[in-house]
Amino acid sequence: MSYQSKKSLYSIVSTTLMLVIYSFIFYSRYQNGFYDNMSIVRFWSIFILLLIPLSVLTTILSEVFIGIALGIKKTLSQNKDDLVEVIDERDRLIELKVSKISQHLFVFGFSVALLSQYFELSLHYFFIIIIVFGFLSEVFEHVLNIHYREKGIR
Amino acid sequence: MKEAIIIKNKIRTYRFLKGELTQQDLANLVQVSRQTIIAIENFQYSPSLELAFKLSIIFECSLDELFYVDKEIPSIK
């Protein structure tokens, strides 16, 4: 498995863990009546507004952690060249293809969320669907990244 | 249905002819990652024209000596 594939795999794990832990903490606070006097829109706005910097922070911490791990591996490894991160045309092609597909998935999720409002479901469904599809599109992006790196891209 | 053309190459042979040039050395020469060279050699990735030319310059051969397709492509008359 290449360095980039390992990086994607690590991103899947860190993103999933972050979202699960964050949702669990937020849900516990919700159960304790912390957000009782709030409207649904305000509640989900707080959830999303806190989620954005948290996911940025997770990405930064992941990069730092991967950088440290790579530094240690480089020091110990015999073949140092193999651990150098080179971004070339194949990487850019994979990135382009993968981000396009994941964007389509998110747009599909957004359409489903809008459909939930058409059928007059609770606003909770609208936000949950958007968050779930946002998460799925990010995971799918990393999975496709690994797939194209291992199986090839044309 | 449109059939995809698989562009094959003789990079492995030319590496051997260049005194068993390693994949990493070749990657450094053309400024790509070793994974990209591996993918090209395994016909999993078709390089850009720029990269193809760089490779042909390094191996001192023409593009059609280095890259080929198994199937015949119908010509425009």
Side-chain angles (χ1 to χ4, degrees):
Chain A
M1 200 180 252
S2 70
Y3 165 70
Q4 267 92 358
S5 299
K6 282 178 192 163
K7 205 171 156 182
S8 290
L9 203 65
Y10 183 76
S11 295
I12 294 171
V13 175
S14 60
T15 307
T16 310
L17 267 177
M18 185 272 292
L19 191 70
V20 168
I21 293 168
Y22 177 67
S23 303
F24 179 76
I25 293 168
F26 215 81
Y27 186 68
S28 308
R29 284 163 71 100
Y30 175 77
Q31 290 283 72
N32 293 334
F34 199 79
Y35 304 106
D36 276 357
N37 301 324
M38 270 181 206
S39 67
I40 297 172
V41 177
R42 187 152 184 250
F43 167 77
W44 283 108
S45 299
I46 292 169
F47 184 91
I48 293 168
L49 283 173
L50 284 174
L51 185 64
I52 293 165
L54 205 67
S55 52
V56 171
L57 194 75
T58 311
T59 311
I60 293 167
L61 286 176
S62 301
E63 291 287 333
V64 169
F65 179 78
I66 291 167
I68 292 167
L70 193 72
I72 294 166
K73 210 174 170 187
K74 259 186 203 172
T75 321
L76 301 173
S77 174
Q78 299 286 323
N79 188 9
K80 288 180 172 51
D81 286 335
D82 211 22
L83 295 167
V84 176
E85 189 185 7
V86 181
I87 308 292
D88 58 23
E89 56 174 52
R90 184 169 151 266
D91 295 309
R92 281 191 283 270
L93 182 68
I94 290 172
E95 205 180 301
L96 209 68
K97 207 166 180 175
V98 156
S99 64
K100 193 181 157 192
I101 296 169
S102 76
Q103 262 176 30
H104 285 176
L105 183 66
F106 184 72
V107 169
F108 173 74
F110 188 70
S111 309
V112 174
L114 287 176
L115 215 61
S116 74
Q117 292 312 292
Y118 175 78
F119 289 111
E120 293 177 345
L121 294 172
S122 160
L123 255 181
H124 285 298
Y125 285 101
F126 178 78
F127 287 105
I128 289 170
I129 291 168
I130 286 180
I131 290 161
V132 165
F133 271 92
F135 166 72
L136 282 180
S137 66
E138 194 172 338
V139 169
F140 195 59
E141 192 177 322
H142 292 303
V143 170
L144 271 181
N145 204 325
I146 297 169
H147 172 78
Y148 283 137
R149 281 181 197 287
E150 301 303 314
K151 301 286 171 194
I153 186 167
R154 287 182 205 290
Chain B
M1 211 179 118
K2 202 173 87 178
E3 253 184 279
I5 294 168
I6 297 171
I7 299 169
K8 297 189 172 179
N9 62 75
K10 296 173 190 160
I11 290 175
R12 179 69 194 95
T13 315
Y14 277 95
R15 275 202 302 118
F16 172 75
L17 293 173
K18 273 269 174 189
E20 202 61 73
L21 185 73
T22 64
Q23 289 173 330
Q24 187 62 59
D25 289 339
L26 180 61
N28 291 344
L29 284 169
V30 292
Q31 291 161 325
V32 294
S33 64
R34 194 173 73 91
Q35 276 71 33
T36 300
I37 298 295
I38 294 169
I40 295 170
E41 278 192 7
N42 294 332
F43 318 133
Q44 289 179 335
Y45 172 64
S46 303
S48 68
L49 201 54
E50 190 189 336
L51 180 54
F53 267 109
K54 275 184 185 174
L55 290 166
S56 73
I57 290 165
I58 282 163
F59 292 127
E60 294 166 84
C61 63
S62 63
L63 270 186
D64 60 339
E65 280 174 313
L66 195 57
F67 295 95
Y68 65 97
V69 277
D70 271 347
K71 228 175 356 186
E72 269 200 27
I73 306 165
S75 59
I76 302 163
K77 285 177 185 168

